[in-house]
Amino acid sequence: MKGQQKRQKSQTKPKRSRQTKQKDQKIQKIPFSEIIKLSIKGYAKNLSIALPFLIILVVLIAIIALFGILALISGVGGLFVDPTIVSQLDLTKVYILFIFGGILFLALLFSTSFIASGATGMALEICEKNKTSMRTFLTVAKKFWLKFIGLWLLIVLIMGLPVAALGIMAVFLLKNLSSIVLIASTITLGFIGILWINFFVIAPYIMIKNDIGILKSISEGFSFSKKNYLELLIITIGFTVIWLLLSLIPYYVGDLINYLVVSPISIIVYSYLFKLRRQKQQAIQ
């Protein structure tokens, strides 16, 4: 009897492990190309996700235009035409301009954080329900806009210090070399920056999805990125190249396409990648 029980146990164990492996394979075998297709379909069915990016574009244009008007009023704008007039400037007006410039920068930071957090929430909802609305945008933005500012500032600090250090070293080491070498060095530093920021690019999605704090979202984002680094890098570099190429289209047509099409699709792609790869990791565990 004992021998029969052992044989039965040994026969049933392999079957369970095969079933588990098959289940894991179904989850993790979703190809990267399928994620792109799902994201494009999600965008096509939910064109409202482009509205936040349209708002960002309008806000950006308004703030730049307002700063330009203030620069002309203060006389600072004339420096771009004739730098020799610097001694003729009214310093009081210059100080006022810088104060207003700082206020405008904070306004841009707050509004961008509000809009970006809401748009990220919409992208995550598309991945979960295949639909979204501006109600989701407002709900998520009200809850996470301040955390987004803290998250951005901390990521800039973590990412910026090493890249800035490399940049300063490059300036001192390469200042006497040719312009070609300097251009190549600048491109190299930019690429290093992309490689480094790729560890943190998924943190905002984790923050909203898991409703967690800034430090924990960075920690979990770093862990997720290490396990899915190559796919994240392909997305980051791919959309960066697409953005740069489209920006070459004249009359701001390329910029409109970037803001209204490329940017919304990119955050949906990141959201789908996070959702599907997290499911794979949870199934394996």
Side-chain angles (χ1 to χ4, degrees):
M1 292 289 292
K2 290 182 179 179
Q4 289 179 351
Q5 289 176 353
K6 287 182 179 180
R7 282 196 297 272
Q8 288 175 353
K9 287 181 180 180
S10 63
Q11 289 173 356
T12 55
K13 282 182 181 179
K15 289 181 180 178
R16 288 176 184 172
S17 77
R18 279 198 300 270
Q19 289 174 354
T20 304
K21 287 180 180 178
Q22 289 173 356
K23 183 180 179 181
D24 293 342
Q25 286 174 355
K26 287 181 180 178
I27 295 174
Q28 62 182 315
K29 286 298 181 181
I30 298 176
F32 185 72
S33 58
E34 187 63 24
I35 293 176
I36 301 297
K37 291 178 183 178
L38 288 171
S39 302
I40 294 173
K41 288 180 181 178
Y43 169 79
K45 292 180 179 179
N46 299 274
L47 294 177
S48 60
I49 196 172
L51 288 177
F53 294 93
L54 179 61
I55 297 171
I56 288 179
L57 182 60
V58 171
V59 170
L60 183 61
I61 293 172
I63 288 178
I64 292 174
L66 184 56
F67 185 79
I69 292 170
L70 292 173
L72 290 174
I73 294 173
S74 65
V76 176
L79 289 173
F80 295 99
V81 180
D82 184 9
T84 60
I85 67 169
V86 64
S87 59
Q88 304 172 16
L89 292 176
D90 186 345
L91 292 181
T92 303
K93 291 182 178 180
V94 174
Y95 293 146
I96 293 173
L97 174 66
F98 277 108
I99 292 172
F100 274 105
I103 294 172
L104 290 175
F105 173 77
L106 291 176
L108 179 63
L109 178 64
F110 293 156
S111 59
T112 303
S113 174
F114 187 89
I115 297 167
S117 58
T120 304
M122 293 176 75
L124 289 167
E125 187 175 48
I126 288 173
C127 297
E128 294 295 331
K129 302 179 181 178
N130 202 26
K131 62 180 181 179
T132 190
S133 66
M134 292 302 292
R135 180 179 295 180
T136 299
F137 168 82
L138 292 173
T139 302
V140 175
K142 288 178 183 177
K143 185 175 183 179
F144 288 98
W145 72 271
L146 192 56
K147 283 186 177 181
F148 254 54
I149 293 177
L151 180 65
W152 285 350
L153 293 177
L154 189 55
I155 289 175
V156 167
L157 185 65
I158 294 171
M159 185 196 75
L161 288 178
V163 176
L166 289 172
I168 293 170
M169 289 174 60
V171 168
F172 282 103
L173 294 174
L174 304 174
K175 61 182 179 179
N176 296 323
L177 297 178
S178 65
S179 58
I180 296 176
V181 175
L182 291 174
I183 293 172
S185 302
T186 303
I187 294 172
T188 302
L189 282 173
F191 186 70
I192 292 172
I194 291 175
L195 293 177
W196 183 229
I197 197 175
N198 202 52
F199 283 108
F200 309 102
V201 72
I202 210 72
Y205 302 86
I206 293 177
M207 172 185 282
I208 292 176
K209 181 63 181 176
N210 297 344
D211 194 4
I212 55 178
I214 296 171
L215 293 177
K216 193 171 182 181
S217 62
I218 288 179
S219 175
E220 291 188 12
F222 190 85
S223 177
F224 179 89
S225 298
K226 284 195 300 183
K227 296 174 183 177
N228 304 276
Y229 188 83
L230 184 58
E231 287 183 313
L232 285 170
L233 186 62
I234 291 171
I235 295 172
T236 303
I237 293 178
F239 279 105
T240 301
V241 171
I242 292 171
W243 182 283
L244 291 174
L245 291 176
L246 287 174
S247 64
L248 298 176
I249 300 176
Y251 305 111
Y252 302 104
V253 174
D255 295 323
L256 282 173
I257 296 173
N258 279 329
Y259 275 95
L260 301 182
V261 180
V262 178
S263 294
I265 291 177
S266 69
I267 64 171
I268 299 174
V269 171
Y270 281 119
S271 299
Y272 263 119
L273 183 75
F274 169 61
K275 173 192 173 183
L276 297 173
R277 296 305 178 252
R278 188 182 66 165
Q279 285 179 349
K280 177 194 73 175
Q281 293 171 7
Q282 290 174 343
I284 292 173
Q285 292 171 358

